[in-house]
C-alpha cells in the first residue's frame, strides 16, 4: 500500500516541478532496518535530490546543523528560487513547495484514502496518513539533499567502528555521499527555516543490516546474535513508557536508544558478546549503559562526538525516565506483559 502511494507521488513530483525532477526514493528507518516493533504502521521515505558543490557553514556548536550556500553559480539553476535573501538555501521554501505538490496529488489517488497532516513546527517531514482499517498508516516523507563531497570536520572523530566492523568498512562508509535533511535547528532564537541537519540514515541502515564482526552473523547458514533483539526490547520499553507518560517523556525518541545501541556495539565488538542465548544479560548490560547516559546527561552522537544528544533534555525528564526504567527492571518488566 505504501509503495503504491509513494510511487504515484514520486512520479507526480518529478513531472510537476522541474526543480524536483531528479529525486529518487530511498527507504530509511526501523522498518527497513528490520528493527520495527509493534505494528508496521509507520514508514520513513526519503526523497533524495543530488546537489553539486555546496558550501556547508556550521550554524552552532553541535557540528550537526548547517547553512548551505552554493560555491559558485549552481548547475542546478532551478534551485535558485529556493535561496533566501542571504543567498542561503531555504529548507522551508523547498519543503513548502514539495508539500504543495503532494497536497494536490493526493486528491488524484483513487485506490485508497490519503491525507496530508498539518505541518509540525520544526519537523523535516511531510506526513501522510493512509486509511487502512482498523488502523491508519503514517508515512513520513523527508526531503534529503545528497552531496558528493567529504564529510565535515565535526565528523572526523565519530563512527569509531574499527573494533567492531573494521577499518576498511569505516573508510568505505566515509566515502559515501553526505545526506542533509531540512531540519529546523531548535537552538536558533528566531527560526528562519534555513538550517539543514546531517543525516546518516544510509550508514545506519548499512550497519544494522551487516552488524556482525564476522560476515556470516545472522545469515541463513551463520550463527545468530541478539543485537537486534536487544535494540527491539529497548525501543519497545521506551515506546510503552512514552505512551504512559506522554508529557514527561516527550523529549525522548527512539534515536536516543539507537545511538546508545551503536556505542554498545563498539564497546562489545565480538559476535560472541551478543550470543543469542544471552539476550537477558546483554539487554541488562545495554540498560546499564543507557541509565548511565541519563544519569550524566551525556549521550554523544555516534557520528558527531561533540554533539550531546541529551543536551536538549532537561534533568527532570532524564531522572524521570531513569526511575521508570529502574522500576520496570526491578519488577520484571510488567510493562511487557500489559
Amino acid at each position: 500500500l505504501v509503495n503504491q502511494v509513494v510511487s504515484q507521488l514520486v512520479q507526480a513530483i518529478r513531472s510537476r516541478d522541474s526543480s524536483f525532477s531528479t529525486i529518487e526514493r530511498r527507504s530509511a528507518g526501523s522498518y527497513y532496518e528490520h528493527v520495527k516493533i509493534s505494528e508496521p504502521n509507520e514508514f520513513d521515505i526519503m526523497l533524495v535530490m543530488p546537489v553539486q558543490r555546496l558550501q556547508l557553514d556550521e550554524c552552532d556548536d553541535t557540528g550537526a546543523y548547517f547553512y548551505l550556500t552554493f560555491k559558485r553559480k549552481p548547475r542546478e539553476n532551478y534551485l535558485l528560487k529556493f535561496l533566501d535573501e542571504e543567498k542561503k538555501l531555504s529548507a522551508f521554501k523547498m519543503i513548502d513547495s514539495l508539500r504543495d505538490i503532494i497536497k494536490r496529488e493526493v486528491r488524484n489517488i483513487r485506490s485508497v484514502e490519503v491525507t496530508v497532516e498539518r505541518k509540525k513546527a520544526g519537523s523535516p517531514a511531510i506526513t501522510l496518513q493512509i486509511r487502512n482499517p482498523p488502523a491508519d498508516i503514517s508515512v513520513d516523507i523527508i526531503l534529503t539533499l545528497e552531496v558528493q563531497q567529504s564529510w565535515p570536520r565535526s565528523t572526523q572523530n565519530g563512527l569509531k567502528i574499527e573494533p567492531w566492523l573494521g577499518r576498511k568498512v569505516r573508510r568505505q562508509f566515509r566515502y559515501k555521499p553526505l545526506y542533509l535533511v531540512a531540519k529546523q535547528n531548535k537552538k536558533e532564537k528566531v527560526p528562519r527555516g534555513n538550517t539543514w541537519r546531517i543525516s546518516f540514515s544510509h550508514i545506519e541502515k548499512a550497519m544494522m543490516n551487516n552488524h556482525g564482526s564476522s560476515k556470516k552473523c545472522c545469515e541463513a547458514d551463520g550463527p545468530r546474535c541478539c543485537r537486534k533483539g536487544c535494540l527491539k526490547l529497548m525501543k519497545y520499553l521506551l515506546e510503552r513508557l512514552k505512551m504512559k507518560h506522554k508529557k514527561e517523556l516527550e523529549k525522548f525518541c527512539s534515536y536516543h536508544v539507537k545511538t546508545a545501541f551503536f556505542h554498545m556495539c563498539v564497546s562489545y565488538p565480538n559476535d560472541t558478546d551478543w550470543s543469542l542465548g544471552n539476550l537477558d544479560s546483554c539487554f541488562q548490560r545495554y540498560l546499564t549503559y543507557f541509565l548511565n547516559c541519563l544519569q550524566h546527561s551525556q549521550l554523544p552522537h555516534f557520528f558527531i562526538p561533540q554533539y550531546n544528544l541529551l543536551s536538549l533534555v532537561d534533568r527532570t525528564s532524564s531522572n524521570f525516565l531513569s526511575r521508570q526504567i529502574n522500576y520496570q527492571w526491578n519488577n520484571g518488566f510488567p510493562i511487557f506483559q500489559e
Side-chain angles (χ1 to χ4, degrees), residues 108-163:
N108 300 328
I109 297 176
R110 301 270 176 265
S111 52
V112 62
E113 190 187 323
V114 185
T115 52
V116 181
E117 272 195 8
R118 289 181 61 181
K119 271 188 219 174
K120 285 194 206 90
S123 167
I126 297 165
T127 305
L128 309 177
Q129 290 293 339
I130 301 175
R131 286 281 296 143
N132 185 40
D136 285 0
I137 296 173
S138 164
V139 181
D140 276 352
I141 292 182
I142 298 150
L143 175 65
T144 308
L145 305 182
E146 180 182 82
V147 194
Q148 294 282 355
Q149 62 193 49
S150 51
W151 293 12
R153 207 171 56 234
S154 58
T155 64
Q156 201 61 53
N157 298 319
L159 189 60
K160 284 285 182 226
I161 54 173
E162 293 90 340

Side-chain angles (χ1 to χ4, degrees), residues 288-305:
T288 304
Y289 172 71
F290 188 62
L291 285 167
N292 191 44
C293 293
L294 291 174
Q295 189 189 339
H296 296 102
S297 292
Q298 198 62 39
L299 175 59
H301 191 290
F302 192 66
F303 298 82
I304 308 170

Side-chain angles (χ1 to χ4, degrees), residues 170-206:
R170 182 179 191 268
R171 202 165 47 243
Q172 286 166 353
F173 283 157
R174 287 190 59 91
Y175 280 130
K176 297 246 184 250
L178 200 57
Y179 276 13
L180 293 148
V181 296
K183 177 76 173 141
Q184 184 60 55
N185 183 357
K186 290 197 175 88
K187 287 188 170 183
E188 282 203 311
K189 297 281 182 286
V190 182
R192 289 198 299 275
N194 60 4
T195 58
W196 297 77
R197 191 188 66 202
I198 309 187
S199 163
F200 298 94
S201 56
H202 51 323
I203 312 290
E204 289 164 11
K205 185 174 165 185

Side-chain angles (χ1 to χ4, degrees), residues 46-61:
M46 295 181 116
L47 295 188
V48 177
M49 245 177 115
V51 182
Q52 306 286 329
R53 299 184 302 224
L54 277 176
Q55 182 172 318
L56 278 65
D57 295 305
E58 289 190 18
C59 62
D60 65 8
D61 56 0

